[in-house]
Amino acid sequence: MQIKVLKDIMAANTTTAEANQARLDSHGIVGLNIMASPGSGKTTFILRTIDSLGQSCRVGVIEGDLASSVDAEKVAAKSAPVVQINTGGGCHLDANQMAAGLDNLPLDSLDVVMVENVGNLVCPSEFKLGEHKRVVILSVPEGDDKPFKYPGMFASADVVVISKIDVLPHFDFNLDKFRRAVTGLNPDLLILPLSARTGEGFDAWTDWVTAQCRVGRR
Amino acid sequence: MHEMAVTQSLLDIVIKEAEKAGAKKVNAVNLVIGELSGLVDDSVQFYFDFLTKDTIADGSRLVFRRVPARMKCRACEAEFSPEPDEWVCPQCDQWQAEVVAGKEFYIDSIEVDDDADKGA
């Protein structure tokens, strides 16, 4: 006998993700899922974001990593609340891990929760965490062809940050070609070229986060 | 890369649906998986064989229906199959296409032993 099922395999994760989002909403918090390859500069980017926002928009961080707590320690040194989640080899965070992360953050005193997902452009895009917005960081040295190799990641993003633009003169990264490719795929995408090292372009990012913060407080 | 977690979710759904139907044994699971979903068949099968031990799905087959990626041009509405490194519409040369197929990721149906076993 054949039984029709027609069920999304990710349904269980999606249900938990929706609960996470409701929890963030009840505290007026905006959840940002930060996804990128290893080495694209996620942690530096998050640290600079915490500095730039200051008290205007209070940030808590969930650090997802295969192992180690190096990144979490750097965030903690900024006096921002941080939770480390080691996936023990897992290639992405899932909604259950996000829920555990939220359990350990002081939600009443936060405006934004930034989740540093595991460095990987494949799996994290398929697991909703309960975030409101998806931010993908692509660093200049990785090349402008990444959207073709990882369309799922770029199609699901709300913001793509092109990081490390201070090294643009040394690489043949074609920003126009990149813009054309990703906005063709995802017309609502916001593209923000910046350098977390020099600060160039960074204001546009913090302005965007601040605007999200206001939406969350409403 | 994330097949273990996905396969566990898949198996949870299969067992729940089979039990709901009063089935004693699952013989096959028919999956629909898009080309863009980044899932490796062999890897899912490997975890499935391992995770189904001592369940009613032990020994069942996974049948994969792969859906190729298709794009639709937002400018002229032509549908086309994307090239690996180019998503330009072959009809109007515009670079404004959305993915219309290739992201599928669901269980279509399961095949189970039913009536013969039900009376037992």
Side-chain angles (χ1 to χ4, degrees), chain A residues 44-74:
Chain A
T44 307
F45 174 78
I46 289 171
L47 294 174
R48 187 160 190 132
T49 302
I50 294 168
D51 278 345
S52 305
L53 290 169
Q55 285 304 305
S56 67
C57 197
R58 298 159 301 173
V59 181
V61 180
I62 296 175
E63 281 286 342
D65 233 325
L66 295 175
S68 95
S69 57
V70 181
D71 293 344
E73 285 159 17
K74 287 183 192 155

Side-chain angles (χ1 to χ4, degrees), chain B residues 63-112:
Chain B
V63 183
F64 293 88
R65 182 157 72 81
R66 280 278 175 185
V67 181
R70 294 280 297 166
M71 306 202 76
K72 185 179 178 184
C73 177
R74 265 186 284 268
C76 75
E77 302 202 335
E79 274 200 28
F80 62 97
S81 299
E83 296 293 322
D85 58 351
E86 215 180 59
W87 297 329
V88 181
C89 172
Q91 190 165 294
C92 72
D93 252 6
Q94 292 287 308
W95 193 311
Q96 291 181 45
E98 61 183 311
V99 177
V100 290
K103 294 197 287 195
E104 297 76 5
F105 199 52
Y106 63 92
I107 304 170
D108 177 71
S109 58
I110 56 177
E111 281 157 39
V112 299

Side-chain angles (χ1 to χ4, degrees), chain A residues 13 27 46 51 57 61 89 98 147 159 179 193:
Chain A
N13 185 73
H27 290 273
I46 289 171
D51 278 345
C57 197
V61 180
M98 171 79 169
V159 179
R179 208 180 280 277

Side-chain angles (χ1 to χ4, degrees), chain A residues 15-179:
Chain A
T15 305
T16 309
E18 283 163 1
N20 289 342
Q21 197 179 72
R23 193 166 167 196
L24 289 171
D25 287 340
S26 72
H27 290 273
I29 295 175
V30 173
L32 304 179
N33 186 356
I34 315 287
M35 298 178 282
S37 311
S40 58
K42 288 187 291 301
T43 308
T44 307
F45 174 78
I46 289 171
L47 294 174
R48 187 160 190 132
T49 302
I50 294 168
D51 278 345
S52 305
L53 290 169
Q55 285 304 305
S56 67
C57 197
R58 298 159 301 173
V59 181
V61 180
I62 296 175
E63 281 286 342
D65 233 325
L66 295 175
S68 95
S69 57
V70 181
D71 293 344
E73 285 159 17
K74 287 183 192 155
V75 175
K78 296 275 177 202
S79 303
V82 57
V83 183
Q84 175 77 44
I85 294 180
N86 287 137
T87 60
C91 49
H92 60 273
L93 290 179
D94 64 27
N96 280 321
Q97 291 167 321
M98 171 79 169
L102 294 178
D103 285 344
N104 290 288
L105 282 175
L107 299 181
D108 287 333
S109 52
L110 294 177
D111 301 303
V112 178
V113 169
M114 294 178 84
V115 183
E116 180 173 345
N117 216 314
V118 179
N120 169 1
L121 288 177
V122 184
C123 320
S125 79
E126 294 182 16
F127 289 80
K128 289 180 185 142
L129 303 179
E131 70 272 21
H132 294 92
K133 299 283 180 186
R134 294 187 152 203
V135 180
V136 177
I137 305 177
L138 176 71
S139 65
V140 166
E142 292 172 70
D144 53 28
D145 59 347
K146 285 292 173 290
F148 298 114
K149 294 181 176 166
Y150 307 99
M153 180 59 84
F154 289 90
S156 77
D158 296 292
V159 179
V160 171
V161 168
I162 309 288
S163 68
K164 307 187 187 178
I165 56 165
D166 49 310
V167 298
L168 263 176
H170 309 287
F171 290 86
D172 51 7
F173 190 104
N174 186 329
L175 203 52
D176 288 336
K177 181 183 156 204
F178 177 84
R179 208 180 280 277

